[in-house]
Amino acid sequence: MGNSGAGDGAGKIKVLVDNGEYWLRNRGDIAMMVMTVERLRERWPHARIGMLTDEPHVLRGVLPQAEPVPAHAGGHWGRSGLAGRLEEAAGVHLLGPAAMRWRSATEVPKHYLRGAKNWARKEVRVLTAGGREPEPAGMPDLPPVPAALVDADLVIAQGGGYMTDVDLYQAHRTLNLLEAAQRHGIPNVMIGQGLGPMRDAHLLRRAAEVLPGADLIALREGRRGPELLAELGVAAEKIVVTGDDAVEFAYRLRRPGIGTDLGLCLRISDYSKVSDSARDTLGVVVRREAAELNTALAPLIISEYDDEDRRHTLPLLTGAASTRPVIGRAGTAQDVARQVSRCRVLVTSAYHLAVFALSQGIPAVAVTASEYYDDKFYGLADMFGAGAAGAGLRIVHLDVDNLDAELSRAIRQLWESAPELRDTLQQRAVEQIDAGRAGLDRVYGLVAGGEGAPGEPAEPVQGER
């Protein structure tokens, strides 16, 4: 199994972490990465924690406690010893911040350039097909398993919603990594996972081949995941429900007093279909409700990928009586969680904004137009409890006939009940934080020497943090 601390690591445990956001453009995914790395560091302060990424310099800026493992360049560990320490210092203090500033400054022109390229490719394909829109191409060839795997003592598939038909590329890439770890006898686990919907025949077959061999699978919800894993042949003793890894991240940034803003995020993408009429109705309702409640509308941007949150949310603020400034493109996950903390209620089609809100005791209206987001939001509502706490997340389907009335009712009811929901929602967050840490305690025991490594098991969260 792995190198068990041998070789160029000078006795250091090596943990290889996979994730669903190699481009580091989604602040919800980054929040999960931050918490996973922090928790691993608490147990193994001197471990080499390698995070697979396609943006190694940006990773140094957003996650300095982790070591970038560049997936696009073969997935090798970086240099060790003095050269490695110098490389890390330069990355954290110089290259990382510079890469973040450069990406932020060039994101707009690159977005339009990508759009122009995609349009040109589509036109060429249509002309080549004789004026017909061709059938979509199959999934691109997957990259080889990262070279860093063979020296790892532990492989972790970081939390996310990528083990699904919506993201076949990342799902198969992760399954290939876990399978390779199993062949090498390396402990391999999945944490904070949201599984499904999963109907693709090839994905189902591969998942049934690989997932039963994982040592532990921790789920962020208990509504769909456990049943799907059982159908795939995963033993019940390997399954645990912990909640989302970003819950603790947001909980720490809660404010002592209740907020006053009405938060808003609308994402429209290939996996989040929203009609023009639903979008327009949503804008009318939130502007009207904000005005009648005498509050400001706060735009909340969780994903910068293809501008999917920014370009669909900001137009909805046009004509609003009062608005808050939007976060800059270089803004951090902490910045967004703090924006959420100033809200009394928020309306979101982005899952992790609802996680950020509920974890701080703030109710949310989740709007959805796809089965993918149905599963996400209903699973999240279940994790924050039945009864009063469960009512903290109201789910509104954007295809209902009376969308205006449904949205207005949900916002008004949550606005009134926000103070009484606050403590119960925060307690549900504490329970999930403790469950997530207990799940990682099981992971530590899988690693040779892990129990005797520096650091003590995490204490349960008790009230204030």
Side-chain angles (χ1 to χ4, degrees):
M1 102 174 211
N3 74 343
S4 297
D8 66 359
K12 295 180 180 179
I13 289 173
K14 287 184 176 180
V15 184
L16 181 62
V17 184
D18 195 15
N19 63 88
E21 231 294 77
Y22 282 30
W23 291 101
L24 299 171
R25 284 189 167 90
N26 187 300
R27 297 181 179 97
D29 289 292
I30 291 170
M32 292 188 291
M33 295 177 192
V34 168
M35 287 315 307
T36 297
V37 172
E38 179 181 315
R39 290 168 174 178
L40 291 170
R41 281 265 172 254
E42 289 174 0
R43 173 56 68 110
W44 297 316
H46 307 295
R48 294 185 69 177
I49 301 173
M51 184 72 68
L52 285 162
T53 183
D54 285 330
E55 292 276 8
H57 295 316
V58 174
L59 187 121
R60 288 289 196 193
V62 301
L63 198 58
Q65 287 191 306
E67 174 181 337
V69 177
H72 61 282
H76 295 271
W77 293 101
R79 291 181 289 182
S80 60
L82 177 60
R85 291 193 294 273
L86 291 173
E87 184 179 86
E88 177 184 359
V92 170
H93 299 292
L94 296 174
L95 297 178
M100 293 173 66
R101 288 193 297 270
W102 172 253
R103 188 167 77 171
S104 174
T106 59
E107 197 65 32
V108 173
K110 285 190 294 187
H111 164 69
Y112 286 109
L113 180 60
R114 286 194 299 269
K117 287 181 177 178
N118 290 338
W119 177 85
R121 291 192 187 105
K122 179 180 178 180
E123 291 300 306
V124 169
R125 289 198 303 268
V126 170
L127 288 173
T128 304
R132 302 181 312 276
E133 177 68 25
E135 292 296 319
M139 188 177 65
D141 292 337
L142 295 174
V145 171
L149 172 82
V150 296
D151 292 324
D153 298 291
L154 173 66
V155 172
I156 297 177
Q158 165 73 53
Y162 50 83
M163 196 57 62
T164 172
D165 296 341
V166 169
D167 197 355
L168 290 174
Y169 185 87
Q170 179 59 33
H172 281 284
R173 178 162 60 181
T174 298
L175 289 171
N176 286 355
L177 178 67
L178 295 174
E179 183 181 54
Q182 292 163 20
R183 286 199 306 268
H184 285 83
I186 300 170
N188 60 105
V189 301
M190 304 182 78
I191 62 173
Q193 292 292 325
L195 306 183
M198 192 183 295
R199 296 190 181 90
D200 180 84
H202 184 40
L203 178 58
L204 284 168
R205 179 180 62 79
R206 285 292 291 144
E209 291 171 349
V210 176
L211 296 185
D215 293 294
L216 180 73
I217 301 179
L219 300 171
R220 68 187 185 191
E221 55 80 31
R223 186 172 174 268
R224 295 284 195 190
E227 181 181 359
L228 176 56
L229 288 177
E231 292 172 356
L232 294 170
V234 179
E237 61 269 19
K238 292 185 175 183
I239 304 170
V240 60
V241 178
T242 60
D244 195 283
D245 296 325
V247 168
E248 182 172 1
F249 180 92
Y251 178 81
R252 292 178 177 180
L253 296 172
R254 70 199 187 284
R255 292 160 61 93
I258 196 163
T260 59
D261 293 347
L262 177 60
L264 175 64
C265 177
L266 176 64
R267 177 179 303 168
I268 301 177
S269 64
D270 291 341
Y271 56 90
S272 176
K273 303 293 186 182
V274 177
S275 69
D276 291 347
S277 62
R279 177 202 62 206
D280 294 343
T281 300
L282 177 61
V284 168
V285 170
V286 295
R287 291 192 298 269
R288 183 184 68 224
E289 293 301 320
E292 292 183 1
L293 293 167
N294 194 28
T295 190
L297 267 181
L300 304 171
I301 309 300
I302 198 83
S303 172
E304 298 289 357
Y305 177 77
D306 199 27
D307 250 8
E308 59 187 358
D309 289 358
R310 194 175 294 272
R311 63 192 168 101
H312 297 297
T313 300
L314 297 187
L316 300 185
L317 275 65
T318 302
S322 176
T323 62
R324 300 296 185 193
V326 66
I327 189 175
R329 295 175 189 276
T332 66
Q334 287 90 343
D335 293 334
V336 175
R338 291 190 183 98
Q339 283 183 313
V340 170
S341 75
R342 293 190 286 271
C343 295
R344 182 179 175 115
V345 172
L346 60 87
V347 179
T348 178
S349 66
Y351 162 82
H352 264 114
L353 281 171
V355 173
F356 282 8
L358 296 171
S359 302
Q360 298 183 67
I362 300 166
V365 179
V367 293
T368 172
S370 69
E371 183 184 17
Y372 177 65
Y373 273 100
D374 286 351
D375 281 3
K376 282 188 171 191
F377 285 130
Y378 280 111
L380 182 61
D382 186 61
M383 289 304 296
F384 277 85
L393 183 65
R394 299 291 178 85
I395 300 169
V396 176
H397 294 269
L398 290 172
D399 57 356
V400 296
D401 294 333
N402 55 342
L403 179 59
D404 186 302
E406 289 285 335
L407 280 171
S408 296
R409 185 181 305 113
I411 293 170
R412 285 300 181 106
Q413 289 177 347
L414 290 180
W415 194 268
E416 292 299 322
S417 59
E420 64 190 66
L421 290 169
R422 191 171 181 83
D423 288 347
T424 307
L425 290 172
Q426 289 185 358
Q427 181 56 39
R428 296 289 187 269
V430 169
E431 292 167 2
Q432 291 173 67
I433 293 168
D434 289 343
R437 287 177 169 272
L440 274 180
D441 283 342
R442 289 182 57 178
V443 172
Y444 302 142
L446 298 170
V447 179
E451 287 298 320
E456 296 297 326
E459 292 294 328
V461 176
Q462 299 294 337
E464 293 302 307
R465 190 178 258 290

